[in-house]
């Protein structure tokens, strides 16, 4: 890999990580703390939605984001021509 390709790969990687962490922050902090009163007007499985997000929703979101990250990294590797053994 050339230096320019290496930099482009890591720039795209960091952009992806930052985006996914922002989504997780928005769900865990936003839905679980900031918007809890508005979300508590609704119920999910017998529990107030704000409580559910604070206790379970952010964990489920994090697990889903792990799978999204793996899939997006596979696409990023293919885009930049990085093989699975580690071309970096």
């Amino acid at each position: 890999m050339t230096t320019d390709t290496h930099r482009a790969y890591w720039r795209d990687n960091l952009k992806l990580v930052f985006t996914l962490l922002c989504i997780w922050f928005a769900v865990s902090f936003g839905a679980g703390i900031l918007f809890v009163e508005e979300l508590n007007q609704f119920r999910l499985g017998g529990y107030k939605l704000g409580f559910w997000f604070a206790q379970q929703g952010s964990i489920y979101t994090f697990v889903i984001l792990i799978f999204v990250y793996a899939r997006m990294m596979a696409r990023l590797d293919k885009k930049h021509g990085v093989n699975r053994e580690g071309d970096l």
Side-chain angles (χ1 to χ4, degrees):
M1 255 178 125
T2 65
T3 304
D4 292 335
T5 307
H6 185 264
R7 285 187 180 148
Y9 175 79
W10 282 106
R11 183 180 55 244
D12 290 347
N13 185 5
L14 290 176
K15 189 185 326 180
L16 174 62
V17 169
F18 180 75
T19 302
L20 295 177
L21 285 175
C22 286
I23 292 169
W24 186 39
F25 176 78
V27 170
S28 63
F29 189 75
I33 298 171
L34 293 178
F35 304 113
V36 70
E37 295 301 324
E38 291 83 5
L39 291 172
N40 278 341
Q41 297 174 7
F42 306 101
R43 293 195 172 268
L44 180 65
Y47 298 99
K48 294 180 179 179
L49 190 58
F51 173 79
W52 186 86
F53 267 110
Q55 300 302 315
Q56 298 296 323
S58 61
I59 296 169
Y60 290 148
T61 301
F62 182 68
V63 171
I64 290 168
L65 289 177
I66 290 171
F67 289 106
V68 169
Y69 175 75
R71 175 170 267 189
M72 297 297 290
M73 280 305 297
R75 288 182 187 169
L76 187 66
D77 289 347
K78 184 182 272 189
K79 174 184 172 185
H80 289 282
V82 177
N83 64 18
R84 292 213 179 252
E85 287 79 36
D87 223 5
L88 299 174

